[in-house]
Amino acid sequence: MKLLRFFLPRIEYILFAAIFWGIVANGPRLLNFDGDLPRHILTGNLILQTQRVATTDIFSFRTTGYPSFPHEWLAQVIFATLYNWLGLDGIILLTATIIVLTWGIVYRQAMQKSKSFFSALIFIVLGLAASQIHVLPRPHIFTYLLTAIWITLLESLDEQNTRSWWFLPVVMVLWVNLHGMFVLGMIILGIYLVGDFLENPSLSWFRTRKARSLLLGGGLALLATFLSPSGPKIWEAIASLGSNAYITSKIPEYQSPNFHQPETWPFIILLLLTILGLARRTQKLSWIQSLLIISFTGIALYTSRMIPICAIVLAPIAAQVVADWLREDYPRSRLFVIEENIYKINSASDGLVWLFALVFFAAVVLQSGRTLDAQGLGNRFDSRFFPVDAAAWLETHPQSGHMFNEFDWGGYLLLRLWPNQQIFMDGHTHIYGEALTREYEKVITQADGWEEILNKYDVKWVIIRDNTAFAKTLASLSGWETAYEDQTAVIFVRR
Protein backbone atom coordinates (compact mmCIF):
# COMPACT_ATOMS: atom_id res chain seq x y z
CA MET A 1 0.00 0.00 0.00
CA LYS A 2 2.84 2.39 0.86
CA LEU A 3 4.53 1.54 -2.44
CA LEU A 4 1.29 2.29 -4.33
CA ARG A 5 0.97 5.64 -2.55
CA PHE A 6 4.55 6.48 -3.49
CA PHE A 7 3.95 5.89 -7.20
CA LEU A 8 0.35 7.09 -7.56
CA PRO A 9 0.45 10.80 -8.49
CA ARG A 10 -1.88 13.42 -7.08
CA ILE A 11 -4.21 15.31 -9.39
CA GLU A 12 -2.28 18.55 -8.92
CA TYR A 13 0.97 16.77 -9.84
CA ILE A 14 -0.61 15.61 -13.08
CA LEU A 15 -1.61 19.23 -13.75
CA PHE A 16 1.92 20.48 -13.07
CA ALA A 17 3.37 17.72 -15.26
CA ALA A 18 1.08 18.84 -18.09
CA ILE A 19 2.21 22.46 -17.59
CA PHE A 20 5.87 21.45 -17.65
CA TRP A 21 5.44 19.37 -20.78
CA GLY A 22 3.40 22.09 -22.47
CA ILE A 23 6.15 24.67 -21.97
CA VAL A 24 8.90 22.27 -23.09
CA ALA A 25 6.91 21.24 -26.18
CA ASN A 26 6.31 24.92 -26.95
CA GLY A 27 9.98 25.83 -26.57
CA PRO A 28 10.67 26.90 -30.19
CA ARG A 29 7.85 29.45 -30.12
CA LEU A 30 9.00 30.88 -26.80
CA LEU A 31 12.58 31.26 -28.03
CA ASN A 32 11.56 33.08 -31.19
CA PHE A 33 9.00 35.37 -29.58
CA ASP A 34 11.53 37.74 -28.06
CA GLY A 35 14.98 39.04 -29.04
CA ASP A 36 16.49 39.72 -25.61
CA LEU A 37 17.57 36.19 -24.69
CA PRO A 38 20.75 36.09 -26.87
CA ARG A 39 22.14 39.20 -25.17
CA HIS A 40 21.42 37.69 -21.75
CA ILE A 41 23.38 34.57 -22.74
CA LEU A 42 26.31 36.60 -24.07
CA THR A 43 26.40 38.84 -20.98
CA GLY A 44 26.31 35.83 -18.67
CA ASN A 45 29.19 34.20 -20.54
CA LEU A 46 31.28 37.37 -20.29
CA ILE A 47 30.68 37.46 -16.53
CA LEU A 48 31.76 33.82 -16.27
CA GLN A 49 34.87 34.46 -18.37
CA THR A 50 36.00 37.71 -16.75
CA GLN A 51 34.74 36.99 -13.22
CA ARG A 52 33.38 40.52 -13.01
CA VAL A 53 30.08 42.29 -13.64
CA ALA A 54 30.41 45.25 -16.01
CA THR A 55 28.66 48.46 -14.98
CA THR A 56 29.17 50.23 -18.31
CA ASP A 57 27.91 49.25 -21.74
CA ILE A 58 30.27 47.63 -24.25
CA PHE A 59 27.86 46.30 -26.86
CA SER A 60 26.74 49.39 -28.80
CA PHE A 61 29.09 51.91 -30.38
CA ARG A 62 26.56 54.61 -29.47
CA THR A 63 26.63 53.80 -25.74
CA THR A 64 30.14 52.50 -25.09
CA GLY A 65 31.06 53.66 -21.61
CA TYR A 66 27.47 54.59 -20.70
CA PRO A 67 26.30 53.41 -17.26
CA SER A 68 24.75 49.95 -17.51
CA PHE A 69 22.94 48.83 -14.38
CA PRO A 70 23.29 45.03 -14.29
CA HIS A 71 20.02 44.30 -12.51
CA GLU A 72 19.77 40.83 -14.07
CA TRP A 73 23.39 39.65 -13.91
CA LEU A 74 22.75 36.56 -11.76
CA ALA A 75 19.91 35.40 -14.03
CA GLN A 76 22.21 35.95 -17.01
CA VAL A 77 24.89 33.78 -15.43
CA ILE A 78 22.32 31.03 -14.83
CA PHE A 79 21.12 31.27 -18.44
CA ALA A 80 24.68 31.18 -19.79
CA THR A 81 25.63 28.21 -17.60
CA LEU A 82 22.66 26.18 -18.81
CA TYR A 83 23.24 27.30 -22.41
CA ASN A 84 26.86 26.12 -22.24
CA TRP A 85 25.72 22.78 -20.80
CA LEU A 86 22.53 21.96 -22.71
CA GLY A 87 22.19 24.75 -25.26
CA LEU A 88 18.80 26.37 -25.68
CA ASP A 89 17.22 23.13 -24.40
CA GLY A 90 18.63 23.92 -20.97
CA ILE A 91 17.02 27.37 -20.92
CA ILE A 92 13.64 25.95 -21.91
CA LEU A 93 13.91 23.29 -19.18
CA LEU A 94 14.76 25.99 -16.65
CA THR A 95 11.78 28.11 -17.75
CA ALA A 96 9.38 25.16 -17.44
CA THR A 97 10.76 24.18 -14.03
CA ILE A 98 10.49 27.70 -12.60
CA ILE A 99 6.91 28.11 -13.83
CA VAL A 100 5.91 24.78 -12.27
CA LEU A 101 7.60 25.68 -8.96
CA THR A 102 5.88 29.07 -8.95
CA TRP A 103 2.40 27.67 -9.43
CA GLY A 104 3.09 24.81 -7.04
CA ILE A 105 3.66 27.41 -4.33
CA VAL A 106 0.57 29.37 -5.40
CA TYR A 107 -1.51 26.16 -5.30
CA ARG A 108 -0.35 25.53 -1.74
CA GLN A 109 -1.39 29.08 -0.78
CA ALA A 110 -4.79 28.60 -2.45
CA MET A 111 -5.39 25.34 -0.59
CA GLN A 112 -4.49 26.89 2.76
CA LYS A 113 -6.77 29.88 2.23
CA SER A 114 -9.77 28.23 0.56
CA LYS A 115 -9.74 24.79 2.23
CA SER A 116 -11.30 23.73 -1.07
CA PHE A 117 -9.63 21.30 -3.45
CA PHE A 118 -11.86 22.18 -6.40
CA SER A 119 -11.61 25.94 -5.90
CA ALA A 120 -7.82 25.82 -5.57
CA LEU A 121 -7.45 23.75 -8.75
CA ILE A 122 -9.85 25.91 -10.77
CA PHE A 123 -8.11 29.15 -9.89
CA ILE A 124 -4.65 27.71 -10.41
CA VAL A 125 -5.70 26.70 -13.93
CA LEU A 126 -7.19 30.16 -14.54
CA GLY A 127 -4.12 31.89 -13.11
CA LEU A 128 -1.80 29.78 -15.21
CA ALA A 129 -3.81 30.47 -18.35
CA ALA A 130 -3.79 34.19 -17.62
CA SER A 131 -0.02 34.21 -17.01
CA GLN A 132 0.79 32.64 -20.38
CA ILE A 133 0.55 36.09 -21.93
CA HIS A 134 4.12 36.77 -20.73
CA VAL A 135 5.85 33.45 -20.05
CA LEU A 136 9.16 33.75 -21.91
CA PRO A 137 12.72 32.51 -21.28
CA ARG A 138 13.88 35.79 -19.75
CA PRO A 139 15.01 36.89 -16.27
CA HIS A 140 11.50 38.03 -15.30
CA ILE A 141 10.51 34.39 -14.69
CA PHE A 142 12.58 34.55 -11.50
CA THR A 143 10.34 37.39 -10.32
CA TYR A 144 7.32 35.09 -10.72
CA LEU A 145 8.90 32.50 -8.45
CA LEU A 146 10.21 35.01 -5.92
CA THR A 147 6.85 36.80 -5.74
CA ALA A 148 5.17 33.53 -4.76
CA ILE A 149 7.91 32.80 -2.20
CA TRP A 150 7.78 36.38 -0.84
CA ILE A 151 4.03 36.27 -0.24
CA THR A 152 4.37 32.86 1.42
CA LEU A 153 6.96 34.28 3.82
CA LEU A 154 4.81 37.31 4.65
CA GLU A 155 1.73 35.13 5.16
CA SER A 156 3.68 32.94 7.59
CA LEU A 157 4.37 35.88 9.90
CA ASP A 158 1.85 36.16 12.73
CA GLU A 159 1.86 36.62 16.48
CA GLN A 160 2.74 32.95 17.03
CA ASN A 161 5.38 32.70 14.31
CA THR A 162 7.71 35.66 13.87
CA ARG A 163 11.00 33.88 13.35
CA SER A 164 10.84 33.69 9.58
CA TRP A 165 11.38 37.47 9.18
CA TRP A 166 15.08 36.90 8.51
CA PHE A 167 14.25 35.08 5.26
CA LEU A 168 13.05 38.40 3.80
CA PRO A 169 16.48 40.07 3.41
CA VAL A 170 17.98 36.76 2.23
CA VAL A 171 15.40 36.43 -0.55
CA MET A 172 15.80 40.12 -1.43
CA VAL A 173 19.56 39.74 -1.93
CA LEU A 174 18.81 37.10 -4.54
CA TRP A 175 15.95 39.06 -6.09
CA VAL A 176 17.87 42.32 -6.57
CA ASN A 177 20.56 40.45 -8.49
CA LEU A 178 18.18 38.28 -10.53
CA HIS A 179 15.72 40.83 -11.88
CA GLY A 180 14.87 44.51 -11.66
CA MET A 181 11.33 43.87 -10.49
CA PHE A 182 12.61 43.31 -6.97
CA VAL A 183 10.73 46.55 -6.31
CA LEU A 184 7.56 44.45 -6.31
CA GLY A 185 8.80 42.76 -3.17
CA MET A 186 9.07 46.10 -1.41
CA ILE A 187 5.64 47.15 -2.69
CA ILE A 188 4.07 43.93 -1.41
CA LEU A 189 5.85 44.36 1.92
CA GLY A 190 4.47 47.89 2.16
CA ILE A 191 0.96 46.56 1.50
CA TYR A 192 1.34 44.03 4.31
CA LEU A 193 2.58 46.72 6.69
CA VAL A 194 -0.21 49.18 5.87
CA GLY A 195 -2.87 46.47 5.79
CA ASP A 196 -1.82 45.01 9.14
CA PHE A 197 -1.78 48.49 10.68
CA LEU A 198 -5.29 49.24 9.38
CA GLU A 199 -6.55 46.12 11.16
CA ASN A 200 -5.44 47.75 14.41
CA PRO A 201 -4.84 51.48 13.70
CA SER A 202 -3.26 52.57 16.97
CA LEU A 203 0.12 53.01 18.57
CA SER A 204 -0.26 49.59 20.16
CA TRP A 205 0.23 48.06 16.70
CA PHE A 206 3.91 48.99 16.81
CA ARG A 207 4.32 46.90 19.96
CA THR A 208 2.96 43.66 18.44
CA ARG A 209 5.41 40.92 17.58
CA LYS A 210 4.14 40.72 14.01
CA ALA A 211 4.60 44.45 13.40
CA ARG A 212 8.12 44.40 14.78
CA SER A 213 8.99 41.38 12.63
CA LEU A 214 7.59 43.03 9.51
CA LEU A 215 9.44 46.27 10.23
CA LEU A 216 12.71 44.53 11.04
CA GLY A 217 12.56 42.12 8.11
CA GLY A 218 11.38 44.88 5.78
CA GLY A 219 14.08 47.31 6.88
CA LEU A 220 16.82 44.75 6.32
CA ALA A 221 15.24 43.76 2.99
CA LEU A 222 15.38 47.42 1.91
CA LEU A 223 19.08 47.54 2.81
CA ALA A 224 19.55 44.29 0.89
CA THR A 225 18.42 46.04 -2.31
CA PHE A 226 21.72 47.93 -2.21
CA LEU A 227 23.71 44.68 -2.34
CA SER A 228 24.16 44.49 -6.10
CA PRO A 229 26.92 45.68 -8.44
CA SER A 230 24.92 48.88 -9.03
CA GLY A 231 24.41 49.66 -5.35
CA PRO A 232 21.75 52.31 -4.60
CA LYS A 233 21.80 53.51 -8.23
CA ILE A 234 19.74 50.49 -9.23
CA TRP A 235 16.67 52.26 -7.83
CA GLU A 236 17.38 55.25 -10.06
CA ALA A 237 17.68 52.99 -13.12
CA ILE A 238 14.41 51.16 -12.45
CA ALA A 239 12.57 54.43 -11.77
CA SER A 240 13.87 56.08 -14.95
CA LEU A 241 12.83 53.11 -17.10
CA GLY A 242 9.29 52.99 -15.75
CA SER A 243 8.74 56.74 -15.77
CA ASN A 244 9.71 57.46 -19.38
CA ALA A 245 6.42 57.60 -21.30
CA TYR A 246 8.13 57.53 -24.70
CA ILE A 247 10.17 54.39 -23.97
CA THR A 248 7.24 52.51 -22.45
CA SER A 249 5.02 53.48 -25.39
CA LYS A 250 7.40 51.64 -27.73
CA ILE A 251 7.37 48.37 -25.79
CA PRO A 252 4.15 46.35 -26.36
CA GLU A 253 4.31 44.51 -23.02
CA TYR A 254 4.16 47.84 -21.18
CA GLN A 255 0.86 48.74 -22.85
CA SER A 256 -2.57 48.10 -21.36
CA PRO A 257 -3.96 44.67 -22.29
CA ASN A 258 -6.18 44.38 -25.34
CA PHE A 259 -9.17 42.46 -24.01
CA HIS A 260 -10.34 41.65 -27.53
CA GLN A 261 -7.45 39.17 -27.77
CA PRO A 262 -8.29 35.62 -26.58
CA GLU A 263 -5.09 35.31 -24.50
CA THR A 264 -6.46 37.94 -22.10
CA TRP A 265 -9.77 36.16 -21.51
CA PRO A 266 -8.57 33.89 -18.67
CA PHE A 267 -7.53 37.04 -16.83
CA ILE A 268 -11.00 38.54 -17.38
CA ILE A 269 -12.63 35.36 -16.04
CA LEU A 270 -10.32 35.39 -13.02
CA LEU A 271 -11.29 38.99 -12.25
CA LEU A 272 -15.02 38.40 -12.78
CA LEU A 273 -15.11 35.34 -10.54
CA THR A 274 -13.21 37.25 -7.87
CA ILE A 275 -15.75 40.08 -8.04
CA LEU A 276 -18.61 37.57 -7.89
CA GLY A 277 -17.12 35.86 -4.84
CA LEU A 278 -16.57 39.18 -3.08
CA ALA A 279 -20.12 40.30 -3.87
CA ARG A 280 -21.74 37.13 -2.52
CA ARG A 281 -19.45 36.47 0.44
CA THR A 282 -20.70 37.96 3.70
CA GLN A 283 -17.40 38.03 5.61
CA LYS A 284 -15.14 41.00 4.99
CA LEU A 285 -11.69 40.51 3.51
CA SER A 286 -8.69 41.57 5.53
CA TRP A 287 -7.15 44.91 4.70
CA ILE A 288 -4.08 43.14 3.33
CA GLN A 289 -6.12 41.10 0.87
CA SER A 290 -8.19 44.12 -0.14
CA LEU A 291 -5.09 46.19 -0.84
CA LEU A 292 -3.45 43.35 -2.78
CA ILE A 293 -6.51 42.98 -5.02
CA ILE A 294 -6.84 46.72 -5.68
CA SER A 295 -3.12 47.33 -6.24
CA PHE A 296 -2.30 44.43 -8.53
CA THR A 297 -5.54 44.53 -10.50
CA GLY A 298 -4.89 48.21 -11.16
CA ILE A 299 -1.30 47.58 -12.26
CA ALA A 300 -2.34 44.66 -14.50
CA LEU A 301 -5.00 46.80 -16.18
CA TYR A 302 -2.38 49.49 -16.79
CA THR A 303 0.30 47.21 -18.25
CA SER A 304 -0.16 43.70 -19.63
CA ARG A 305 3.30 42.75 -18.38
CA MET A 306 1.88 42.62 -14.86
CA ILE A 307 -0.95 40.19 -15.62
CA PRO A 308 1.08 37.10 -14.57
CA ILE A 309 2.08 38.78 -11.29
CA CYS A 310 -1.53 39.78 -10.67
CA ALA A 311 -2.63 36.19 -11.31
CA ILE A 312 -0.04 34.89 -8.81
CA VAL A 313 -1.26 37.34 -6.16
CA LEU A 314 -4.96 37.02 -6.92
CA ALA A 315 -5.45 33.25 -7.43
CA PRO A 316 -5.27 32.22 -3.73
CA ILE A 317 -7.57 35.08 -2.66
CA ALA A 318 -10.04 34.32 -5.46
CA ALA A 319 -10.05 30.64 -4.48
CA GLN A 320 -10.84 31.65 -0.89
CA VAL A 321 -13.68 34.08 -1.60
CA VAL A 322 -15.41 31.79 -4.11
CA ALA A 323 -15.11 28.77 -1.80
CA ASP A 324 -16.50 30.80 1.13
CA TRP A 325 -19.41 32.06 -0.98
CA LEU A 326 -20.36 28.55 -2.10
CA ARG A 327 -20.19 27.21 1.47
CA GLU A 328 -22.42 30.04 2.72
CA ASP A 329 -25.04 29.80 -0.03
CA TYR A 330 -25.00 26.03 -0.64
CA PRO A 331 -23.93 24.41 2.66
CA ARG A 332 -25.63 21.08 1.88
CA SER A 333 -24.53 20.81 -1.72
CA ARG A 334 -23.49 17.33 -2.81
CA LEU A 335 -20.52 19.01 -4.46
CA PHE A 336 -18.79 19.33 -1.09
CA VAL A 337 -19.26 15.62 -0.36
CA ILE A 338 -17.76 14.71 -3.74
CA GLU A 339 -14.93 17.17 -3.19
CA GLU A 340 -14.14 15.76 0.25
CA ASN A 341 -14.06 12.19 -1.07
CA ILE A 342 -11.82 13.10 -3.99
CA TYR A 343 -9.54 15.09 -1.71
CA LYS A 344 -9.19 12.14 0.68
CA ILE A 345 -8.31 9.79 -2.16
CA ASN A 346 -5.96 12.35 -3.65
CA SER A 347 -4.24 12.94 -0.29
CA ALA A 348 -3.56 9.22 0.01
CA SER A 349 -1.28 9.50 -3.02
CA ASP A 350 2.22 10.92 -3.14
CA GLY A 351 3.58 10.54 -6.65
CA LEU A 352 5.85 13.58 -6.61
CA VAL A 353 8.63 11.35 -7.89
CA TRP A 354 7.00 11.40 -11.34
CA LEU A 355 7.50 15.14 -11.65
CA PHE A 356 11.23 14.74 -11.04
CA ALA A 357 11.26 11.81 -13.43
CA LEU A 358 9.56 13.91 -16.11
CA VAL A 359 12.14 16.69 -15.79
CA PHE A 360 14.97 14.14 -16.00
CA PHE A 361 13.36 12.39 -18.98
CA ALA A 362 12.90 15.66 -20.88
CA ALA A 363 16.52 16.63 -20.22
CA VAL A 364 17.82 13.25 -21.42
CA VAL A 365 15.67 13.30 -24.57
CA LEU A 366 16.66 16.84 -25.49
CA GLN A 367 20.34 16.21 -24.80
CA SER A 368 20.22 13.22 -27.13
CA GLY A 369 19.32 15.55 -29.98
CA ARG A 370 15.66 14.59 -30.28
CA THR A 371 12.94 17.20 -30.42
CA LEU A 372 9.83 17.40 -28.26
CA ASP A 373 7.80 20.03 -30.07
CA ALA A 374 4.99 19.00 -32.40
CA GLN A 375 6.64 20.51 -35.48
CA GLY A 376 9.98 18.81 -34.80
CA LEU A 377 11.83 22.11 -35.09
CA GLY A 378 13.80 21.77 -31.88
CA ASN A 379 14.92 24.57 -29.58
CA ARG A 380 16.84 26.90 -31.84
CA PHE A 381 16.67 30.43 -33.13
CA ASP A 382 14.44 30.16 -36.18
CA SER A 383 15.66 31.74 -39.42
CA ARG A 384 12.12 33.00 -40.04
CA PHE A 385 12.41 35.34 -37.06
CA PHE A 386 16.15 35.95 -36.66
CA PRO A 387 18.85 36.68 -39.26
CA VAL A 388 20.39 33.23 -38.82
CA ASP A 389 21.65 32.78 -42.38
CA ALA A 390 22.67 36.43 -42.69
CA ALA A 391 24.74 36.16 -39.50
CA ALA A 392 26.42 33.03 -40.88
CA TRP A 393 27.27 34.98 -44.06
CA LEU A 394 28.67 37.84 -41.97
CA GLU A 395 30.90 35.41 -40.07
CA THR A 396 32.58 34.47 -43.35
CA HIS A 397 32.22 37.91 -44.93
CA PRO A 398 32.87 40.32 -42.04
CA GLN A 399 31.94 43.92 -42.72
CA SER A 400 34.01 46.85 -41.59
CA GLY A 401 32.65 49.90 -39.83
CA HIS A 402 29.51 50.54 -37.84
CA MET A 403 26.22 48.82 -38.59
CA PHE A 404 22.58 49.78 -38.35
CA ASN A 405 20.38 46.88 -37.29
CA GLU A 406 16.80 45.95 -36.53
CA PHE A 407 15.91 46.78 -32.92
CA ASP A 408 14.92 43.21 -31.96
CA TRP A 409 17.84 41.58 -33.79
CA GLY A 410 20.47 43.37 -31.74
CA GLY A 411 20.83 40.66 -29.12
CA TYR A 412 21.08 37.85 -31.67
CA LEU A 413 23.69 39.73 -33.73
CA LEU A 414 25.73 40.29 -30.59
CA LEU A 415 25.64 36.60 -29.74
CA ARG A 416 26.90 35.74 -33.24
CA LEU A 417 29.24 38.64 -34.07
CA TRP A 418 30.53 40.26 -30.89
CA PRO A 419 33.31 41.36 -30.15
CA ASN A 420 34.12 41.91 -33.82
CA GLN A 421 30.97 43.98 -34.23
CA GLN A 422 29.05 46.38 -32.05
CA ILE A 423 25.38 47.07 -32.68
CA PHE A 424 23.34 50.21 -33.25
CA MET A 425 20.63 49.23 -30.76
CA ASP A 426 18.83 46.35 -29.06
CA GLY A 427 15.99 45.86 -26.59
CA HIS A 428 17.85 47.21 -23.54
CA THR A 429 16.19 50.61 -23.79
CA HIS A 430 17.17 51.52 -20.23
CA ILE A 431 20.73 51.96 -21.53
CA TYR A 432 19.88 53.95 -24.67
CA GLY A 433 17.31 56.28 -23.17
CA GLU A 434 14.82 58.40 -25.07
CA ALA A 435 17.19 60.43 -27.26
CA LEU A 436 19.02 57.44 -28.76
CA THR A 437 15.81 55.45 -29.13
CA ARG A 438 14.27 58.35 -31.06
CA GLU A 439 17.29 58.30 -33.38
CA TYR A 440 16.63 54.64 -34.16
CA GLU A 441 12.96 55.34 -34.78
CA LYS A 442 13.78 58.23 -37.11
CA VAL A 443 16.02 56.01 -39.24
CA ILE A 444 13.77 52.95 -39.39
CA THR A 445 10.74 55.11 -40.33
CA GLN A 446 12.80 57.29 -42.73
CA ALA A 447 11.68 60.46 -41.00
CA ASP A 448 13.29 63.78 -41.89
CA GLY A 449 17.01 63.68 -41.10
CA TRP A 450 17.41 59.90 -41.07
CA GLU A 451 20.40 59.96 -43.42
CA GLU A 452 22.15 62.52 -41.22
CA ILE A 453 21.90 60.12 -38.28
CA LEU A 454 23.59 57.34 -40.28
CA ASN A 455 26.29 59.80 -41.31
CA LYS A 456 26.65 61.02 -37.74
CA TYR A 457 27.64 57.53 -36.57
CA ASP A 458 29.53 56.72 -39.80
CA VAL A 459 27.30 53.70 -40.47
CA LYS A 460 28.87 51.65 -43.26
CA TRP A 461 26.34 48.82 -43.55
CA VAL A 462 22.75 47.99 -42.64
CA ILE A 463 21.06 44.69 -41.74
CA ILE A 464 17.26 44.87 -41.70
CA ARG A 465 14.18 42.83 -42.55
CA ASP A 466 13.66 42.14 -46.21
CA ASN A 467 10.69 43.60 -48.08
CA THR A 468 10.18 46.48 -45.65
CA ALA A 469 9.72 50.12 -46.56
CA PHE A 470 13.20 50.96 -45.30
CA ALA A 471 14.74 48.11 -47.32
CA LYS A 472 13.00 49.33 -50.45
CA THR A 473 14.24 52.87 -49.83
CA LEU A 474 17.88 51.78 -49.46
CA ALA A 475 17.59 49.56 -52.54
CA SER A 476 16.50 52.59 -54.55
CA LEU A 477 19.36 54.85 -53.43
CA SER A 478 22.54 55.03 -55.47
CA GLY A 479 24.72 55.29 -52.38
CA TRP A 480 23.80 51.79 -51.18
CA GLU A 481 24.08 48.34 -52.73
CA THR A 482 22.75 44.94 -51.71
CA ALA A 483 25.51 42.66 -50.39
CA TYR A 484 23.31 39.82 -49.16
CA GLU A 485 19.63 38.91 -49.19
CA ASP A 486 17.45 36.01 -48.08
CA GLN A 487 13.79 35.58 -47.16
CA THR A 488 14.32 37.16 -43.73
CA ALA A 489 17.16 39.69 -43.90
CA VAL A 490 18.89 41.96 -46.36
CA ILE A 491 22.32 43.55 -45.92
CA PHE A 492 23.17 46.86 -47.59
CA VAL A 493 26.65 48.38 -47.76
CA ARG A 494 27.72 51.86 -48.79
CA ARG A 495 29.14 52.08 -52.29
Side-chain angles (χ1 to χ4, degrees), residues 239-469:
S240 64
L241 176 62
S243 61
N244 190 304
Y246 172 79
I247 294 293
T248 55
S249 71
K250 300 302 176 183
I251 303 175
E253 65 195 51
Y254 281 101
Q255 306 308 304
S256 298
N258 180 359
F259 290 114
H260 293 278
Q261 296 179 343
E263 57 263 34
T264 64
W265 296 349
F267 178 59
I268 296 174
I269 296 171
L270 175 62
L271 287 182
L272 292 177
L273 287 176
T274 304
I275 294 170
L276 178 62
L278 289 170
R280 297 296 303 170
R281 183 177 183 258
T282 56
Q283 186 180 354
K284 288 184 179 179
L285 278 184
S286 69
W287 269 108
I288 290 174
Q289 291 177 315
S290 300
L291 293 174
L292 286 173
I293 291 173
I294 292 170
S295 301
F296 283 91
T297 300
I299 296 174
L301 292 174
Y302 181 75
T303 168
S304 61
R305 185 178 186 176
M306 291 299 297
I307 286 178
I309 298 293
C310 181
I312 289 168
V313 173
L314 219 61
I317 302 173
Q320 176 186 347
V321 298
V322 169
D324 288 349
W325 154 48
L326 292 175
R327 288 192 190 100
E328 290 173 5
D329 282 7
Y330 309 101
R332 294 185 176 86
S333 173
R334 186 168 176 78
L335 177 69
F336 298 121
V337 177
I338 296 172
E339 178 186 50
E340 185 177 356
N341 291 334
I342 292 176
Y343 180 70
K344 286 179 180 178
I345 296 170
N346 192 59
S347 300
S349 306
D350 189 17
L352 185 60
V353 64
W354 292 110
L355 270 176
F356 294 107
L358 179 62
V359 176
F360 179 75
F361 172 75
V364 170
V365 171
L366 289 173
Q367 194 174 24
S368 70
R370 296 184 179 89
T371 60
L372 295 175
D373 58 290
Q375 293 76 26
L377 298 174
N379 294 314
R380 58 184 175 84
F381 293 115
D382 196 323
S383 60
R384 294 174 297 173
F385 305 100
F386 292 97
V388 177
D389 297 329
W393 184 84
L394 286 167
E395 288 173 338
T396 56
H397 301 79
Q399 301 298 304
S400 59
H402 293 160
M403 76 162 88
F404 177 87
N405 60 278
E406 289 278 353
F407 170 84
D408 51 355
W409 285 356
Y412 181 80
L413 291 170
L414 282 173
L415 184 63
R416 294 289 298 272
L417 305 178
W418 197 87
N420 296 322
Q421 285 287 348
Q422 289 179 299
I423 59 171
F424 191 89
M425 189 174 184
D426 71 332
H428 280 54
T429 50
H430 60 282
I431 297 173
Y432 299 91
E434 181 175 342
L436 296 184
T437 304
R438 285 186 181 275
E439 286 185 340
Y440 168 84
E441 184 181 31
K442 183 176 286 189
V443 173
I444 204 71
T445 60
Q446 306 148 75
D448 290 342
W450 69 269
E451 291 179 283
E452 285 77 4
I453 293 173
L454 294 185
N455 293 332
K456 171 184 175 181
Y457 293 106
D458 194 23
V459 171
K460 298 296 187 184
W461 58 284
V462 172
I463 177 170
I464 54 175
R465 285 183 171 84
D466 197 17
N467 295 319
T468 59

Side-chain angles (χ1 to χ4, degrees), residues 446 450-451 454 462 469-482 492-495:
Q446 306 148 75
W450 69 269
E451 291 179 283
L454 294 185
V462 172
F470 187 35
K472 292 174 182 177
T473 297
L474 289 178
S476 67
L477 296 176
S478 59
W480 296 88
E481 65 178 351
T482 304
F492 296 97
V493 297
R494 287 189 186 270
R495 292 184 185 274

